[in-house]
Amino acid sequence: MSATSTKKTGLFEGADLGSVFKNSILRLNPIYQARNPVMFLVFVGSIITTGIFAVMLVKPDSVIGGGQPLWFVGLITFWLWFTLLFANFAEAIAEGKGKAQADSLKKSRRDVPAKKLVKGTDRSKFQSIAANTLRKGDIIVVEAGDFVPSDGQVIEGIASVDESAVTGESAPVIRESGGDRDAVTGGTRVLSDWIVVRVTSDPGESFLDRMISLVESAKRQKTPNEIALSILLAALTIIFLLVCATLLPFSLFGVERAGSGTVITITVLIALLVCLIPTTIGGLLSAIGISGMQRLIKANVIATSGRAVEAAGDVNVLLLDKTGTITFGNRQAVEFFAGPGVTQQQLAEAAELSSLADETPEGRSIVVLARKLFGLPDKDIQSLKAEFIPFSAEQRVSGIVINERHILKGAGDAIAKLVALKGGSVPHEVTVMIEDIARQGGTPLTVAEGNQVLGVVYLKDIVKPGIKARLADLRKMGIKSVMITGDNPLTAAAIASEAGVDDFLAQATPETKLKYIRQMQEGGELVAMVGDGTNDAPALAQSDVAVAMNSGTQAAKEAGNMVDLDSDPTKLIEIVEIGKQLLMTRGSLTTFSIANDLAKYFAIIPAAFATTYPVLGALNVMHLASPQSAILAAVIFNALIIIALVPLALKGVKYRAEPAAKMLSRNMFVYGLGGIIAPFIGIKLIDMALAAVGLA
C-alpha cells in the first residue's frame, strides 16, 4: 500500500487513496479525456483559459483577456481543472475499489503444474506442464492435495473439493462425473480422491479471469444503455457548443447596435459552456457503471457482460425453481395425525423409533418433531439392540424391529399391502387423512405397528421464510413470479398459494420451460431464470437473464450469461435488485445533472449580457454580488457538485420495492426538483463567500 494512503472505511474502503489521487492527475491527458466527449470539452476549455491566463501574466492588459481581471481568469482556470480532477477522482476511486477486488481474486489464481494425460483417461501416464499452457479440450488428472489448474468438466472419478478460494464457503463440495455436479473451477483444491477433468477454457478465459476483467475498467466495455446515454450527452454537448459559439458574434453585434456594454470574453464563454453541458453525469457515468459491476461481484456473481446486468434491471418475469429457491427442497415433518384408538403421542413415539436410523432429512425431521412436541428422551441406537429396516425403492418402507415390535413407515399403499398380509386394514379415517394431506400439497407418511395402522405423519415441502415478502416486493415493482416444478398441478397449486407466487408451471420439462419462455418473450416480456442442470441449458440460453449455478453442469454455465459462485437459487432476486439499482442511479443522476442547468442560466446569462442589455438584470433573481462573482460561483458549484455526488454514484440510489410509476415520481421529485433548487442555494452561498473575501 502506498505510503500516502490513509486508513479507509466506508466509501473509500479497499481503495488506495495515494494511487487514486495519482491516477486522477495522470488522467489529465488528451488521449484519456477524448474517451468522454463531455469532459474532453472541459479539458479543451481548461487549456484555452490556462493559455489566456499565461498570456495575461506576461501582459496583463492583453486584448485576449477582454478586460477581465487577472484573478478572475486565474480562478476560472483553477476551477475548470478541478472540475476535471473531481470527475477523474470519481472514476479513479471506483476503479481503485475494483482493483482491490481484482488483486484479491488474483491471489486465488495459482500458477500450478498440471498433470496432462497423454493417453486417453489413463491416469498412470501424464506429463507435468504449466497450467497456463493448457488449452480447451485437454485432459488432466487432479489428485488429493492438488489445485485444479483450470476450469473444466469432470469426466471420470469423484472427489471432495475445497472451493473457498472462489466462493468464500469453507464447507467442501462433491464433484463427480455424469451428473449435475461435474464442473470444477480453476484455483480450487481437491481434498480427497481424484478426478479426471476435461479443460473447458483457454488461458485468460476462466471464471477468475472473467471476474477480474469485470472489475478492471481497462477491460470493461460500456453497456448498451451506457452507450445510448453517452450519445445523448454528446448530442447535448454539441448543441450547447453551437449555442455558445454563436454568442460571441451575437455579443459583438449587440454591443455595436446598442452602443454600450462590453463584448463577452472567451473566458466567460468557456465558463458558460462548461456550466451548461452535462458535466455532472458526464463525470460520474463511468463510476456508476463500474460500481454496479462491483456490487454484482461482491454478491459472488459473474456476468459475461454488463448487458446482462442491465437486462436484470429491466426483467418483468422471474422463473423460479420450486426446490431450493422457494422451498428448502427437503420435506420436513410438521404434524402427527393419529388414527382411531391411538393417541398422538403413541404415534409420535412409534414414528420416532422407526426413524432413528433414517439419515434422510425427512427421517431426521420426524425425530426432531417428536422430541420437540412430547419431550421424548434421546436414545442410544447401539444400546437398543434393534434391527433397522432400511428404505428400498421396491418396498418403499423403512422401520425398526425392537423387542418384538415391528414398526414401519412409508407410502400409504405400500403400508396398506404389508398390513393386509398380516390380517389388518387401513381405517377409513386414515385414508381420509392421507387424501387431505395430498390435496394440500404435502406428503403423507403412514406409520404402522404389526397389523395396526397408527396414523399419518404430515411431511411438508417447507417454504423458505421471507420468500413470500420478497415476492410481494417484486409484485409491487411490476415483476411477475412464476414457480417451476415437476410436481403434479395439485401439489404445485398448494405450494404456489403458500409462497405467494403469481403463477406456476407444473410437471415442467425442458421443452415446456423453453416454450413458456418463448411465449413470454413474444408478448414483450423480459425473462430471468435460474438453472443448474444440462436439461436447463435450452431454457437458460433462451432467457434474457440466465443465472447458472457454479455447482451445476458445464452445459448450464455455458448457456447462462451469469454464474452464481455460491450456487444459491434465491440470488436471482438479489441480481434483479442490483440491476434495478444500477439503472435507477444512472437515471437519477442524469435527471439531477440536466435539471441543475436552470440555476446557471440565472447566474451567468445576466452576468454576461446585462451591461449590453440591462433588462436582463431582472434574471438575477439570486441577487448575486457582481458579474465576476456570479460566473465564478457557478463554475465552483459545477465542480463541487461532482465530488459531492461521488458517494451516491458509488453506493447507488437506495433501492425500494415499489411500482415503476411511483419510483419515477419520487426520483423526479428528489433529483429533478432537487436538481433545480440545490444550485440556487449553492451558487448563492458561494457568491456570498466570494463577496466576503473581496472577490466580488
Side-chain angles (χ1 to χ4, degrees), residues 391-403:
F391 176 85
S392 70
E394 183 180 353
Q395 295 287 338
R396 293 189 298 150
V397 298
S398 62
I400 187 174
V401 178
I402 178 172
N403 299 328

Side-chain angles (χ1 to χ4, degrees), residues 296-375:
L296 195 68
I297 295 294
K298 199 170 183 180
N300 247 7
V301 177
I302 305 172
T304 56
S305 69
R307 182 191 298 267
V309 187
E310 286 188 345
D314 288 329
V315 297
N316 39 28
V317 176
L318 254 63
L319 301 188
L320 304 170
D321 265 334
K322 183 203 74 172
T323 305
T325 305
I326 293 173
T327 66
F328 284 107
N330 297 322
R331 294 169 300 174
Q332 304 287 305
V334 293
E335 196 168 352
F336 296 107
F337 291 95
V342 180
T343 66
Q344 196 178 33
Q345 182 166 349
Q346 287 173 330
L347 170 61
E349 289 174 345
E352 184 224 19
L353 283 171
S354 68
S355 303
L356 288 176
D358 188 344
E359 290 301 319
T360 64
E362 293 87 348
R364 289 196 296 270
S365 73
I366 291 172
V367 173
V368 170
L369 181 65
R371 292 175 179 176
K372 177 182 176 182
L373 292 179
F374 301 103

Side-chain angles (χ1 to χ4, degrees), residues 479-657:
I479 298 175
K480 177 182 178 181
S481 56
V482 180
M483 182 184 78
I484 300 176
T485 177
D487 292 337
N488 63 68
L490 192 64
T491 301
I495 296 173
S497 175
E498 184 180 356
V501 295
D502 299 306
D503 198 1
F504 64 88
L505 185 63
Q507 296 175 330
T509 64
E511 293 76 16
T512 56
K513 282 191 278 189
L514 185 60
K515 182 180 178 181
Y516 186 86
I517 292 170
R518 285 175 175 165
Q519 286 177 345
M520 291 290 104
Q521 292 172 332
E522 287 169 3
E525 312 284 6
L526 287 179
V527 180
M529 77 163 285
V530 166
D532 61 356
T534 300
N535 63 338
D536 291 323
L540 286 169
Q542 183 68 33
S543 300
D544 300 285
V545 177
V547 184
M549 300 293 97
N550 190 45
S551 61
T553 63
Q554 189 64 30
K557 290 197 277 190
E558 289 178 354
N561 50 27
M562 292 188 189
V563 176
D564 176 24
L565 296 178
D566 294 330
S567 299
D568 177 8
T570 61
K571 189 77 69 66
L572 179 59
I573 299 174
E574 186 178 347
I575 290 169
V576 170
E577 293 174 354
I578 290 172
K580 285 193 174 295
Q581 186 182 37
L582 173 62
L583 297 180
M584 285 168 53
T585 302
R586 190 181 294 152
S588 298
L589 292 185
T590 300
T591 301
F592 184 92
S593 178
I594 295 174
N596 71 20
D597 279 350
L598 183 62
K600 299 168 191 174
Y601 292 130
F602 287 95
I604 297 182
I605 297 297
F609 295 102
T611 56
T612 305
Y613 300 103
V615 70
L616 290 177
L619 294 178
N620 185 17
V621 296
M622 290 179 278
H623 304 291
L624 303 178
S626 70
Q628 285 90 355
S629 69
I631 295 169
L632 189 55
V635 171
I636 293 173
F637 176 83
N638 196 64
L640 293 179
I641 197 63
I642 294 177
I643 203 70
L645 291 174
V646 167
L648 186 61
L650 297 182
K651 291 184 178 180
V653 172
K654 186 177 180 181
Y655 168 81
R656 289 182 176 87

